[in-house]
Amino acid sequence: MKKELPYILDFYDKSIALEIRNKYGYSFLDSLRKFLYSETYRMLCNPALEMWEFSPLGIFDMWEAEQVTGSPQNSLYLRRD
């Protein structure tokens, strides 16, 4: 899986940066930067978490939850309410 990880991350990077840009109006580069410096991105980079099982919209929801609450674990995709 280590070999495929850069390709998987590239897909998520572009998809989520576009979602951030479309929703919040930042430039693509600023959107990408905001995602790359997030805890959500650090979690996505961790192969042990296998977060590529989530859709890009699920990862985007985690990023938004992190922006609002300070933690991606508050996302509906991770909580078990």
Side-chain angles (χ1 to χ4, degrees):
M1 181 49 74
K2 281 187 174 184
K3 261 174 134 174
E4 292 86 10
L5 193 57
Y7 299 107
I8 292 169
L9 290 176
D10 184 58
F11 168 74
Y12 280 100
D13 295 349
K14 290 175 184 171
S15 298
I16 295 165
L18 283 173
E19 290 294 328
I20 294 169
R21 185 194 72 184
N22 292 340
K23 185 164 183 179
Y24 295 101
Y26 299 119
S27 70
F28 181 81
L29 190 56
D30 285 341
S31 298
L32 182 61
R33 191 175 296 119
K34 288 180 180 298
F35 179 59
L36 294 179
Y37 289 105
S38 69
E39 182 180 343
T40 303
Y41 186 73
R42 285 189 292 283
M43 290 171 61
L44 183 62
C45 290
N46 184 345
L49 296 178
E50 296 183 1
M51 286 183 54
W52 49 82
E53 296 291 327
F54 293 106
S55 74
L57 291 177
I59 302 294
F60 175 67
D61 185 73
M62 291 175 211
W63 178 84
E64 275 192 312
E66 178 184 352
Q67 301 311 298
V68 173
T69 68
S71 175
Q73 281 90 8
N74 291 320
S75 166
L76 293 176
Y77 284 86
L78 296 177
R79 292 190 329 204
R80 300 200 187 246
D81 294 349

